[in-house]
Amino acid sequence: LANLKKYFAYNSFRPQPAAEDGSSLQQTIISHAAADLPLFAILPTGGGKSLCFQLPALMRYVRRGVLTIVISPLQALMKDQVDNILNKTGISQATAIDGMLTLPERGEALEKVRMGDIAILYVSPEQLRNNSFIRAIRHREIGAWIFDEAHCLSKWGHDFRPDYLYAA
């Protein structure tokens, strides 16, 4: 709760959706993630999913300097997520790497990743097979891999992206 208040200025977690015991499902997910326990969480649209990986990512970064990579299929969503983190928390340790960046912007973002200046990195699945991306993250300990919009992972889904196969 102290970190929730510190980074996002919220006094409590969302009460809904609730866990089986009636407590905040959001808080349960964040507690598991902050303890570095593997988890699979599915929340409805508007259920507070982003906070479930952003808060633990910031906590891991402050504690151990590790990187959290969020794989997201939508460039606009990545930009919104980065902008929201900056606006809500005031921290600048979040960035996105996608095909819309100019070469100088991409180089700057990758250098920040490599040097440990980024806590949360949003990437499109196509970056998973990009050599400069792979070289940059090799220099970092990865605290968590997050698959946002996980419905895109299924080969049978209407919006499957083959580049997700490079996640392994």
Side-chain angles (χ1 to χ4, degrees):
L1 284 172
N3 284 307
L4 179 67
K5 178 78 171 167
K6 175 182 173 182
Y7 292 114
F8 292 92
Y10 297 144
N11 292 318
S12 62
F13 293 100
R14 289 184 179 195
Q16 297 296 321
E20 288 181 6
D21 65 0
S23 65
S24 167
L25 183 58
Q26 189 181 52
Q27 184 172 4
T28 301
I29 292 167
I30 290 170
S31 294
H32 278 76
D36 291 330
L37 298 171
L39 64 100
F40 179 76
I42 298 174
L43 292 171
T45 299
K49 289 184 292 285
S50 298
L51 186 70
C52 289
F53 59 81
Q54 291 171 349
L55 182 57
L58 294 173
M59 293 165 60
R60 277 190 294 272
Y61 181 75
V62 169
R63 282 193 320 245
R64 302 189 332 257
V66 299
L67 176 66
T68 295
I69 297 177
V70 180
I71 302 169
S72 177
L74 304 170
Q75 293 171 355
L77 178 61
M78 288 189 280
K79 181 180 178 350
D80 286 348
Q81 293 281 355
V82 170
D83 290 348
N84 285 336
I85 291 171
L86 297 175
N87 292 335
K88 286 182 182 177
T89 68
I91 66 150
S92 60
Q93 286 88 11
T95 195
I97 297 176
D98 59 48
M100 298 301 291
L101 296 178
T102 65
L103 283 176
E105 290 170 333
R106 179 181 176 78
E108 181 182 344
L110 288 170
E111 183 64 10
K112 286 181 177 180
V113 169
R114 190 179 72 74
M115 295 302 294
D117 297 331
I118 298 297
I120 305 172
L121 175 62
Y122 289 84
V123 296
S124 60
E126 290 75 17
Q127 298 303 313
L128 299 173
R129 58 189 177 113
N130 183 291
N131 288 329
S132 61
F133 169 75
I134 293 166
R135 281 192 304 272
I137 66 170
R138 274 194 186 134
H139 294 273
R140 298 289 303 279
E141 178 184 347
I142 310 299
W145 291 87
I146 309 298
F147 291 88
D148 202 7
E149 304 296 327
H151 58 86
C152 296
L153 291 169
S154 171
K155 282 187 184 180
W156 300 278
H158 69 281
D159 49 4
F160 172 65
R161 302 269 283 270
D163 288 290
Y164 278 108
L165 295 172
Y166 291 90

